């Protein structure tokens, strides 16, 4: 069974960025290195560069997300591309238009790249399968499947603080089952060769056979973060209580909420991360979120550099292809 | 009416119901088998079919196809699918009641019956609805449906309102000795799942359907079968654990039968990897362990029937991100070819696989078809066991080209199909 979209061209250069799965270590490092060249220095603005001048990038969002869309938009503008925002949530699909029809319509307006967010797992692969040959697709989150630029900005943050990945122990805490971020992080961490990836959650928030993703499973938060170098907290959605996956936000915080006291179990120089938006008092206390070990706001600003890196790499390679 | 007389000469006749596996000729007059092995007195062939080197067997009975008419003609019509069936050596199609409107009144069945008769490519029999509009709340008029000719009842994969309704439906069907076709699946455990719950679903982030969605429902339906003495037939099982429960219930004397869709004997949850919408099927492809148990059960006879679970779709239904695609495979034209692969793979012998496609379904539902003794309807499939060919979906005759078997190489192909003594398919070669 063929027809699968290839994320890299025959020379191994980036074409689409749909999932962390399938990339080699040096390819991920290359993205991190490219992001480094764009990254803001403290207190200084990132410079606008003309790399994608004349290119049109379409943000194609089938799910509301102001924050992710804004960082993609900013990254595109800093690369001098023109940006179109297309929120399909409120227009076409409610009238029964298929995803393919929506895609064809926007393609007819001309676009060099689609940044896609969709509620169905596999949507970014689907779109990459159906776009014109010169067009790149960046997955900005599909269902529970993948959110690869988020994972890469998390890797970037970790590398900035820790340097080498190989000795690190990383704990991801919370709703792994419904999280595309966690899936992409787990894959990236394993490809980059960390010493251990742990997931910490009640059984109702873990996917089936979760160990096969390459993680160690903990149900107790204090044991799970013992001696780790990095703690990644995941957002808890309110609807998990309605679906009988958890009894209450109160109990969740009691058992899996990260407090300053519990943080002592991790290594003293451990960093605390969160893909946002955070629920203060549900998965994390304000003391920790705003504390010295938190790097949550740095993640957001690094996100722009990482997205600039991914976009410029994918587009740079496409224009090269078209020349031949 | 039909005054033709046909002599099928020189083929290897496999008729499991009569224990025949030998070179025997068949003589047909007036649409009926007039003689097997010996030419009846006064027989004069108007037509002779040279079957030398070929297998001659009863026409295949496909239990539980989705014909799409009335209501979803863009996916397939009775005639398009009956013609596709003829190419696959199938002479009896047993259609599911989930048409639009559903087969819950004799009038809907009458419409289907007439269309099928006008088309003439295959016999179409109907499974009537178990509940009104398949809503799982009120009983359908099963007595009237049976009088009109429905041979069984089913609620398809639609959910039953509660266990008490299921109990009453089974009891009421038992009043008429109507077989109940069960597609056992717990709707709450299935939830929004679209593939087998396991490591592949976890990696792809696709909502999973746990094996327990089937086993919980099979356990409940087995208990109700025992309680109501229902003539239950378990349709399209997918888990090894369910097979074990069925086997145990049979040992305990329960009157029941079971089938498996042919594609379940070949594909696994790993085949979904890469978001292959052609592998979106319900029940989902499961693990290798499940598949191996299903294969063994087909060989041992714990599963008596192999079916196609034919569900044709228009191309658009499969052109969406995986979870949004319609489940199902267009299976009429791959039912026999895949079944023959089981023989190639050494799972069972040729007479046994033919039994699962003919005499097995006939026995499960109490049908007179599926055997070739004198006086029976001349429903016959002739295939060349050595022809090697490759499946090209563009060449399929069904309106649905939704198959995960594109590009597969098969050995064995239907050369002639006779339905009531008329040739409904003859290959060019």
């Amino acid at each position: 069974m063929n027809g699968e979209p290839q994320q890299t061209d025959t020379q191994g250069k980036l074409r689409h960025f749909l999932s962390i799965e399938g990339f080699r270590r040096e390819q991920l490092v290359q993205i991190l290195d490219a992001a480094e060249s764009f990254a803001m220095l403290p207190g200084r603005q990132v410079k606008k560069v003309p790399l994608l001048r004349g290119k049109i990038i379409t943000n194609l969002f089938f799910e509301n997300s102001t924050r992710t869309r804004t960082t993609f938009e900013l990254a595109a503008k800093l690369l001098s591309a023109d940006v179109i925002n297309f929120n399909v949530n409120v227009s076409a699909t409610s009238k029964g238009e298929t995803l393919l029809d929506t895609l064809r319509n926007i393609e007819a307006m001309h676009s060099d790249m689609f940044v896609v967010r969709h509620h169905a797992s596999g949507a970014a692969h689907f779109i990459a399968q159906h776009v014109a040959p010169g067009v790149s697709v960046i997955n900005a989150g599909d269902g529970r499947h993948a959110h690869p630029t988020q994972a890469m900005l998390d890797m970037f943050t970790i590398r900035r603080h820790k340097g080498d990945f190989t000795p690190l122990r990383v704990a991801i805490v919370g709703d792994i089952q419904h999280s595309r971020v966690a899936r992409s992080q787990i894959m990236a961490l394993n490809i980059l060769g960390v010493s251990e990836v742990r997931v910490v959650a009640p059984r109702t928030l873990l996917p089936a056979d979760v160990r096969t993703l390459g993680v160690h499973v903990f149900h107790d938060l204090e044991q799970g973060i013992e001696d780790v170098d990095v703690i990644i907290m995941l957002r808890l959605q309110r609807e998990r209580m309605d679906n009988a996956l958890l009894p209450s936000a109160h109990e969740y915080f009691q058992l899996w909420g990260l407090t300053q006291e519990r943080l002592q179990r991790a290594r003293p120089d451990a960093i605390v991360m969160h893909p946002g938006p955070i629920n203060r008092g549900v998965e994390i206390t304000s003391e920790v979120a705003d504390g010295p070990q938190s790097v949550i706001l740095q993640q957001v600003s690094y996100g722009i550099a990482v997205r600039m890196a991914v976009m410029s790499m994918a587009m740079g390679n496409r224009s090269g292809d078209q020349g031949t | 009416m039909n005054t033709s007389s046909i002599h099928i000469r020189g083929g290897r006749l496999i008729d499991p119901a009569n224990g025949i596996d030998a070179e025997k000729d068949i003589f047909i007059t007036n649409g009926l088998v007039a003689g097997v092995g010996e030419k009846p007195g006064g027989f004069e062939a108007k037509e002779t079919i040279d079957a030398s080197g070929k297998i001659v067997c009863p026409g295949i009975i496909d239990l539980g196809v989705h014909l799409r008419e009335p209501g979803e003609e863009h996916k397939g019509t009775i005639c398009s699918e009956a013609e596709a069936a003829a190419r696959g050596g199938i002479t009896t199609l047993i259609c599911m009641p989930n048409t639009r409107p559903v087969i819950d009144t004799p009038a809907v069945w009458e419409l289907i019956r007439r269309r099928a008769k006008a088309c003439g490519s295959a016999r179409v029999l109907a499974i009537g609805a178990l509940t009104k509009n398949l809503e799982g709340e009120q009983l359908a008029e099963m007595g009237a449906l049976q009088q009109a000719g429905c041979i069984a009842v089913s609620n398809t994969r639609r959910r039953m309102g509660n266990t008490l309704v299921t109990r009453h439906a089974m009891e009421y069907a038992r009043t008429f000795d109507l077989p109940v076709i069960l597609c056992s699946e717990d709707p709450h455990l299935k939830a929004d799942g679209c593939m087998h719950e396991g490591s592949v679903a976890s990696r792809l982030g696709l909502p999973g359907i746990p094996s327990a969605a089937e086993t919980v429902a099979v356990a409940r339906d087995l208990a109700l079968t025992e309680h109501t003495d229902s003539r239950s037939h378990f349709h399209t099982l997918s888990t090894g654990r369910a097979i074990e429960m069925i086997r145990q219930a049979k040992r305990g004397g329960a009157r029941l039968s079971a089938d498996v869709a042919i594609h379940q004997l070949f594909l696994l949850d790993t085949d979904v990897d890469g978001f292959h919408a052609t592998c979106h099927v319900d029940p989902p492809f499961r693990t290798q362990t499940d598949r191996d148990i299903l294969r063994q059960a087909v060989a041992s006879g714990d599963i008596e029937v192999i079916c196609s679970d034919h569900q044709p779709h228009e191309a658009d239904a499969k052109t969406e991100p995986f979870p949004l695609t319609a489940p199902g495979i267009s299976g009429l034209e791959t039912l026999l070819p895949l079944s023959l692969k089981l023989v190639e793979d050494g799972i069972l012998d040729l007479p046994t696989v033919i039994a699962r496609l003919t005499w097995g379904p006939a026995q499960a539902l109490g049908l007179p078809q599926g055997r070739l003794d004198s006086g029976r309807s001349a429903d016959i499939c002739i295939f060349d066991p050595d022809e090697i060919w490759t499946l090209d979906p563009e060449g399929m005759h069904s309106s649905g080209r939704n198959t995960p078997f594109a590009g597969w190489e098969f050995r064995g192909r239907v050369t002639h199909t006779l339905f009531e003594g008329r040739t409904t398919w003859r290959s060019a070669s």
Side-chain angles (χ1 to χ4, degrees):
Chain A
M1 280 167 274
N2 288 314
E4 279 180 58
Q6 299 298 318
Q7 301 200 81
T8 52
D9 64 15
T10 44
Q11 281 108 54
K13 287 186 177 170
L14 196 64
R15 256 182 83 173
H16 302 301
F17 200 44
L18 310 173
S19 164
I20 297 290
E21 194 180 359
F23 283 102
R24 296 189 312 275
R25 185 175 184 164
E26 52 274 25
Q27 291 172 310
L28 297 187
V29 169
Q30 206 184 352
I31 293 172
L32 296 178
D33 290 345
E36 200 68 55
S37 70
F38 292 116
M40 281 186 235
L41 295 166
R44 247 201 281 169
Q45 282 293 321
V46 69
K47 260 176 40 189
K48 191 163 176 166
V49 289
L51 282 172
L52 298 186
R53 179 169 294 152
K55 301 286 185 188
I56 299 173
I57 295 177
T58 303
N59 280 329
L60 185 52
F61 276 55
F62 294 81
E63 249 183 17
N64 285 322
S65 166
T66 313
R67 168 185 311 242
T68 304
R69 207 204 60 217
T70 307
T71 58
F72 270 108
E73 189 174 345
L74 185 53
K77 284 181 172 165
L78 290 171
L79 292 166
S80 307
D82 293 310
V83 182
I84 300 166
N85 287 315
F86 212 93
N87 276 346
V88 195
N89 221 14
V90 284
S91 57
T93 43
S94 51
K95 293 179 201 149
E97 190 178 58
T98 69
L99 175 51
L100 201 57
D101 286 332
T102 308
L103 192 66
R104 293 278 178 263
N105 268 285
I106 298 169
E107 252 182 352
M109 301 173 206
H110 183 77
S111 187
D112 298 291
M113 172 180 278
F114 288 109
V115 177
V116 183
R117 170 168 287 197
H118 196 281
H119 52 84
S121 301
H125 279 77
F126 175 82
I127 289 172
Q129 242 165 357
H130 289 96
V131 290
V135 177
S136 289
V137 176
I138 308 290
N139 185 2
D142 62 328
R144 306 174 188 177
H145 171 237
H147 194 351
T149 60
Q150 174 70 44
M152 288 313 290
L153 77 88
D154 296 330
M155 297 308 112
F156 187 84
T157 309
I158 293 171
R159 194 173 79 165
R160 273 270 172 123
H161 284 270
K162 299 290 174 192
D164 186 10
F165 283 97
T166 50
L168 300 180
R169 285 202 179 95
V170 182
I172 306 173
V173 183
D175 187 0
I176 313 288
Q177 162 74 324
H178 301 92
S179 176
R180 54 193 170 212
V181 174
R183 282 179 176 77
S184 289
Q185 287 167 339
I186 290 166
M187 283 174 191
L189 288 165
N190 279 321
I191 292 169
L192 289 167
V194 297
S195 123
E196 186 186 9
V197 184
R198 300 175 178 182
V199 294
V200 186
R203 287 173 180 271
T204 46
L205 299 182
L206 290 172
D209 301 332
V210 62
R211 279 177 191 79
T212 58
L213 298 177
V215 296
H216 291 133
V217 179
F218 291 80
H219 304 303
D220 181 283
L221 178 62
E222 293 188 16
Q223 286 171 19
I225 62 173
E226 183 89 49
D227 288 331
V228 299
D229 304 278
V230 178
I231 302 173
I232 301 174
M233 303 301 294
L234 298 175
R235 177 180 169 79
L236 185 76
Q237 306 278 350
R238 284 267 155 198
E239 68 215 51
R240 306 302 167 226
M241 268 66 82
D242 302 333
N243 297 342
L245 292 167
L246 291 172
S248 66
H250 175 257
E251 174 154 314
Y252 185 80
F253 179 71
Q254 290 298 311
L255 297 175
W256 293 282
L258 187 62
T259 61
Q260 197 62 45
E261 191 192 345
R262 285 181 171 148
L263 184 54
Q264 306 307 314
R265 303 290 289 261
R267 287 176 58 93
D269 60 346
I271 55 170
V272 176
M273 299 167 64
H274 193 303
I278 62 174
N279 286 316
R280 290 168 188 266
V282 177
E283 68 257 357
I284 192 165
T285 62
S286 292
E287 198 186 0
V288 176
D290 305 331
Q293 286 169 273
S294 166
V295 297
I296 295 170
L297 289 178
Q298 292 172 36
Q299 286 175 265
V300 179
S301 53
Y302 293 154
I304 296 159
V306 166
R307 282 162 184 144
M308 285 173 79
V310 170
M311 284 173 158
S312 61
M313 285 169 75
M315 296 280 270
N317 295 332
R318 296 319 297 159
S319 53
D321 283 1
Q322 284 165 338
T324 55
Chain B
M1 271 197 310
N2 192 337
T3 55
S4 66
S5 53
I6 302 170
H7 178 190
I8 301 173
R9 195 182 59 200
R12 174 181 163 194
L13 174 65
I14 300 180
D15 181 7
N18 289 304
I20 296 173
D21 178 5
E23 194 176 304
K24 276 183 195 290
D25 291 7
I26 293 185
F27 304 90
I28 299 162
T29 47
N30 299 324
L32 303 177
V33 177
V36 175
E38 273 172 63
K39 188 158 127 178
F43 181 91
E44 219 171 292
K46 285 189 182 161
E47 187 191 345
T48 301
I49 296 172
D50 179 10
S52 51
K54 293 176 183 145
I55 310 288
V56 179
C57 66
I60 295 168
I61 301 171
D62 196 0
L63 199 165
V65 300
H66 297 251
L67 283 187
R68 308 303 194 195
E69 185 181 357
E72 292 184 295
E73 288 83 354
H74 62 293
K75 291 182 187 289
T77 63
I78 291 164
C79 208
S80 71
E81 301 318 290
E83 284 173 11
R87 291 177 180 229
I90 299 162
T91 52
T92 299
L93 290 167
I94 301 174
C95 76
M96 295 299 273
N98 56 349
T99 46
R100 290 183 194 167
V102 304
I103 309 175
D104 61 356
T105 60
V108 179
W109 161 231
E110 186 56 26
L111 174 106
I112 294 170
R113 201 186 60 78
R114 284 189 193 174
R115 296 259 163 97
K117 192 147 182 77
C119 175
S121 293
R123 175 182 297 102
V124 174
L125 302 175
I127 297 166
L130 190 65
T131 62
K132 273 183 193 148
N133 204 27
L134 297 174
E135 282 165 2
E137 302 293 340
Q138 291 180 296
L139 301 185
E141 291 180 356
M142 296 180 222
L145 288 169
Q146 186 183 39
Q147 278 172 12
C150 289
I151 56 160
V153 284
S154 175
N155 217 55
T156 68
R157 302 192 81 76
R158 310 269 180 88
R159 63 168 75 186
M160 293 294 284
N162 60 55
T163 319
L164 184 61
V165 179
T166 310
R167 174 203 167 159
H168 288 155
M170 281 184 178
E171 282 174 336
Y172 193 72
R174 179 69 179 86
T175 311
F176 309 101
D177 210 24
L178 264 173
V180 178
I181 313 292
L182 295 160
C183 309
S184 304
E185 185 176 63
D186 185 292
H188 304 291
L189 286 173
K190 183 189 176 187
D192 60 349
C194 59
M195 75 168 291
H196 172 67
E197 182 180 299
S199 58
V200 181
S202 292
R203 188 160 46 80
L204 297 179
L206 287 172
I209 305 172
S211 296
E214 180 169 292
T215 53
V216 162
V218 167
R220 177 199 60 203
D221 292 342
L222 280 173
L224 289 172
T225 295
E226 191 182 351
H227 184 75
T228 62
D229 192 31
S230 161
R231 269 183 75 181
S232 294
H233 176 82
F234 288 80
H235 184 47
T236 62
L237 293 172
S238 68
T239 64
R241 188 74 191 89
I243 301 302
E244 285 163 25
M245 290 190 278
I246 298 274
R247 190 180 289 142
Q248 206 169 11
K250 281 184 173 176
R251 282 205 197 106
R255 195 167 57 139
L256 50 87
S257 50
D259 73 56
V260 62
I262 186 69
H263 45 250
Q264 287 287 354
L265 302 176
F266 290 91
L267 298 179
L268 306 174
D269 66 339
T270 49
D271 290 302
V272 173
D273 206 348
F275 300 102
H276 296 295
T278 53
C279 292
H280 184 189
V281 62
D282 190 13
F285 293 127
R286 298 203 183 269
T287 67
Q288 182 151 6
T289 310
D290 291 303
R291 189 198 64 178
D292 291 347
I293 295 173
L294 291 175
R295 284 181 158 210
Q296 285 159 19
V298 169
S300 69
D302 289 316
I303 294 177
E304 297 90 340
V305 182
I306 304 174
C307 67
S308 71
D309 194 19
H310 178 65
Q311 298 181 34
H313 286 295
E314 76 283 20
D316 285 349
K318 290 285 188 183
T319 315
E320 287 282 349
F322 187 93
L324 306 178
T325 55
I329 287 171
S330 178
L332 294 174
E333 288 152 274
T334 43
L335 176 57
L336 179 64
L338 284 167
S339 298
L340 294 175
K341 261 194 194 297
L342 295 173
V343 180
E344 243 176 89
D345 290 356
I347 308 300
L348 27 63
D349 59 22
L350 191 53
T352 309
V353 92
I354 289 171
R356 303 287 177 263
L357 295 167
T358 59
W359 182 230
Q363 273 189 307
L365 300 183
L367 305 175
Q369 290 85 24
R371 53 191 299 166
L372 287 175
D373 26 355
S374 290
R376 302 266 177 177
S377 177
D379 298 354
I380 295 170
C381 164
I382 305 174
F383 63 93
D384 178 346
D386 297 317
E387 185 179 336
I388 291 170
W389 59 287
T390 303
L391 180 67
D392 173 11
E394 292 306 308
M396 283 169 67
H397 206 77
S398 166
S399 294
R401 273 90 188 264
N402 46 304
T403 175
F405 302 108
W408 279 43
E409 193 180 88
F410 295 104
R411 188 189 189 94
R413 195 171 205 179
V414 176
T415 60
H416 300 76
T417 304
L418 283 80
F419 165 54
E420 293 181 336
R422 279 179 301 109
T423 304
T424 50
W425 168 247
R426 182 197 302 261
S427 68
S429 54

